[in-house]
Amino acid sequence: MALNEGDTPVGLREQSNRKMTAIVCHGPEDYRVQQVDRPVPEEREMVLRIAACGICASDCKCWSGAKMFWGGDNPYVKPPVIPGHEFYGVVDELGPGAAEHFGVGIGERVIAEQIVPCDQCRFCRSGQYWMCEVHNIFGFQRVVADGGMAEYMRIPRTARVHKIDEGISANDAAIIEPLACAIHTVNRGDIQLDDVVVIAGAGPIGLMMVQVTKLKTPKLLIAIDMVDERLQLAKTFGADVVINPREQDALTVVRSLTDGYGCDVYIEATGSPSGVEQGLNLIRKLGRFVEFSVFGAPTTVDWSIIGDRKELDIRGAHLAPYCYPIAINLLSRGLVTSKGIVTHRYRLEEWDTAIAVANSLESIKVLMDATSQENGRM
């Protein structure tokens, strides 16, 4: 449904002083379920009715007060703010010109990328929008818009929006954002057919990395984690070898599979400093080390390994540029799945339980759902 310039946003004539349920971050371990004003779309903006919003590992670290989010003179989190960047929803309201601007209509399922680019800095203007200098991300600052842990969410005009194919299930739609991040990370590894690839960390995104890496058909795919249940799931997703460092020496296993050299590509997705040190030891000389994780504390390693001893190619992986359409396509073709990854779903009112479960080994991926009457383990 298109609007003419100057029209009142769809639905606003009949609905004034509207409230909605949302989770609001006020500080570390101070997240409250509150009634707040529903967002109103302005010109070339829209409002989504949120279908689901995942709790990310970075959300858990933020909730627990990790210094990287709260410390320093310019903290990354600026409360009060509604958290949540792993969301998708249905177009509920369109501001003037929004239908044409985004190419969407009322009732369509869509997702917006987690970053809201400024479209003015050198990175945005050169097409490298995911490295935007301003760097507003949904769910951490209210500079542009709140996040998706609410019934409704405003999508500003510079957001990158993508339609979700009708055949994609609700749980699959809920993993589009982390899957897109996994795709970008795997692509940064430049995986070749004769590569031995190690993915360290079989959490939600690590398990998606396993699925995406398998599509690259490397010679050997190894997954490392300390939870046997997650390793078994990694095997169902295509890992050739799984290693639990509590029970096996990862260095011995990897070297035994590579004529003593080490892996060609190491993807770090543990979020633990030990995962970095492990990778520097497991990777061969001239190998490619891809760092994805968000750490809750600084990591210290012997940098001489990187240069003097192995001349490694160290690559970062940030967000998911140009990968959302790929993620949607892979899900629509059944090449990647959320089955086994999405384990729990909770109503917004059950936030305290949801964050506790998300912070435990009881879950893999926890979703917040403003519409469901069901909750708990799936």
Side-chain angles (χ1 to χ4, degrees), residues 11-32:
L12 289 187
R13 299 179 185 87
E14 298 82 13
Q15 304 180 58
S16 59
N17 300 319
R18 302 168 304 168
K19 295 288 184 178
M20 69 174 183
T21 301
I23 298 163
V24 182
C25 164
H26 291 272
E29 297 190 33
D30 185 8
Y31 285 48
R32 310 171 197 170

Side-chain angles (χ1 to χ4, degrees), residues 319-371:
L319 303 184
Y322 305 107
C323 290
Y324 279 69
I326 301 171
I328 292 168
N329 179 264
L330 292 180
L331 289 167
S332 68
R333 295 161 61 196
L335 296 176
V336 178
T337 180
S338 64
K339 187 176 181 180
I341 295 177
V342 175
T343 55
H344 294 74
R345 185 184 290 263
Y346 292 98
R347 297 189 296 271
L348 295 173
E349 292 82 359
E350 298 171 307
W351 164 257
D352 289 339
T353 300
I355 188 63
V357 172
N359 257 324
S360 74
L361 294 179
E362 179 184 344
S363 68
I364 298 181
K365 172 57 66 180
V366 175
L367 302 181
M368 303 305 299
D369 188 340
T371 61

